[in-house]
Amino acid sequence: MHAMLNIAVRAARAAGRVAMKSFQQPDQVEFAEKSLNDFVTNIDKACEQTIISTIQKSYPDHGFLAEESGEHQAQGDYLWVIDPIDGTTNYMRGIPHFCISIALMHKGITQHAVVYDPVREEMFTASRGAGAQLNGYRIRVSPRKDLEGTLLATGFPFKLKHLMPEYQGVFNKFFEQAADVRRAGSAALDLAYVAAGRVDGYWEAGLQLWDTAAGELLVREAGGVVTDFGGGMNHQKSGNIVAASPRVLQTMVTQMRPLLPKSLLK
């Protein structure tokens, strides 16, 4: 394992211990609403600080982009992108489906990624050009070639509810062909599950870089493709993402285009 990936794994495990201790003692969890339907807990902040302090011990000159504390400027070209608890709403309600997401970017390109599910003790990892793993075993995206019989994952645009009519059109189109669709509440885990072949495809609107940076590398290193809703590469800026095997993704994007306004296809 690359030294930087090893540090990311160490940081994720440390944050996982913090998260699980309080998850088992819900009276310790305090939360506030950052914006409409978007929550943060004291444990998010504690996990984030644990991750940053763990990484800084080895790489004091690196920068950070973290969901709760914002961006800490780097002296060099390395940027750690952190979501301390992806699935906060699940976490604060006692639903055991959330994760820690950590990605390391160098000059804007993601080099290493970790998505850690501390409930199931599942560690998804990837390094650029070296494949993706789950607990040390190689993973690959689903071999399916079309939407018939697929299991898809998505997330509802809870912060962009004005998009629901267009979203519903896409959902209906996919649901008619797929075996089923899941909405589990953690974008990073949805992407990790695409990488592991557990779900065949995933789409969601309105995400942030810390939601997707690690999961995107997992999917790519597992043989999948990640694009925006129009099939382009603007997903990190737009926050609108599609991930699947190449053939399934092409079908998804082709069917989405006529159902969405141009503003969502960029």
Side-chain angles (χ1 to χ4, degrees):
M1 184 181 292
H2 191 282
M4 290 183 174
L5 181 61
N6 190 50
I7 294 299
V9 167
R10 185 184 304 172
R13 289 198 186 280
R17 289 191 291 271
V18 173
M20 289 307 297
K21 181 178 179 181
S22 294
F23 186 67
Q24 293 162 356
Q25 302 176 49
D27 59 310
Q28 295 185 2
V29 180
E30 304 168 2
F31 68 89
E33 194 170 20
K34 294 188 291 184
S35 58
L36 183 63
N37 303 317
D38 190 13
F39 298 93
V40 61
T41 72
N42 57 322
I43 310 304
D44 287 84
K45 295 177 180 179
C47 288
E48 185 169 290
Q49 186 53 49
T50 295
I51 293 167
I52 291 173
S53 62
T54 300
I55 293 171
Q56 283 182 326
K57 289 176 183 177
S58 298
Y59 303 107
D61 296 332
H62 287 192
F64 296 89
L65 175 63
E67 179 176 11
E68 308 309 336
S69 60
E71 185 166 3
H72 307 255
Q73 293 296 322
Q75 296 181 24
D77 296 319
Y78 287 97
L79 181 70
W80 294 85
V81 182
I82 300 164
D83 193 338
I85 298 180
D86 186 60
T88 295
T89 299
N90 284 349
Y91 182 85
M92 58 187 265
R93 289 179 173 269
I95 299 171
H97 188 80
F98 55 88
C99 68
I100 291 96
S101 176
I102 304 172
L104 175 60
M105 305 181 80
H106 181 249
K107 296 183 178 180
I109 298 173
T110 307
Q111 301 294 329
H112 304 287
V114 167
V115 172
Y116 178 49
D117 177 349
V119 175
R120 300 171 184 84
E121 295 188 3
E122 291 188 330
M123 183 72 70
F124 299 87
T125 58
S127 291
R128 187 175 178 84
Q133 295 82 34
L134 167 56
N135 291 342
Y137 292 92
R138 185 70 178 266
I139 53 176
R140 298 289 294 176
V141 296
S142 162
R144 288 189 178 272
K145 296 179 172 58
D146 55 52
L147 286 178
E148 190 70 28
T150 54
L151 179 62
L152 302 179
T154 190
F156 299 120
F158 64 93
K159 290 186 283 187
L160 302 168
K161 291 191 176 182
H162 63 282
L163 298 178
M164 273 306 295
E166 293 88 353
Y167 174 88
Q168 194 68 52
V170 173
F171 182 95
N172 291 346
K173 183 70 172 178
F174 290 167
F175 189 68
E176 289 170 358
Q177 303 161 81
D180 208 346
V181 179
R182 297 283 184 267
R183 194 280 191 259
S186 170
L189 278 177
D190 284 337
L191 287 164
Y193 282 16
V194 171
R198 293 176 175 176
V199 296
D200 303 297
Y202 163 71
W203 84 101
E204 188 166 352
L207 296 172
Q208 300 292 334
L209 184 60
W210 48 73
D211 297 312
T212 62
E216 177 182 352
L217 186 63
L218 286 170
V219 172
R220 293 189 184 282
E221 289 299 322
V225 182
V226 179
T227 71
D228 57 32
F229 287 175
M233 303 306 295
N234 195 45
H235 51 282
Q236 289 188 352
K237 291 184 179 180
S238 71
N240 305 327
I241 191 169
V242 189
S245 63
R247 294 279 290 276
V248 170
L249 184 135
Q250 183 59 49
T251 301
M252 292 175 71
V253 169
T254 299
Q255 294 188 12
M256 293 173 82
R257 283 178 182 143
L259 298 173
L260 297 174
K262 290 183 179 179
S263 60
L264 286 179
L265 298 177
K266 298 177 181 178

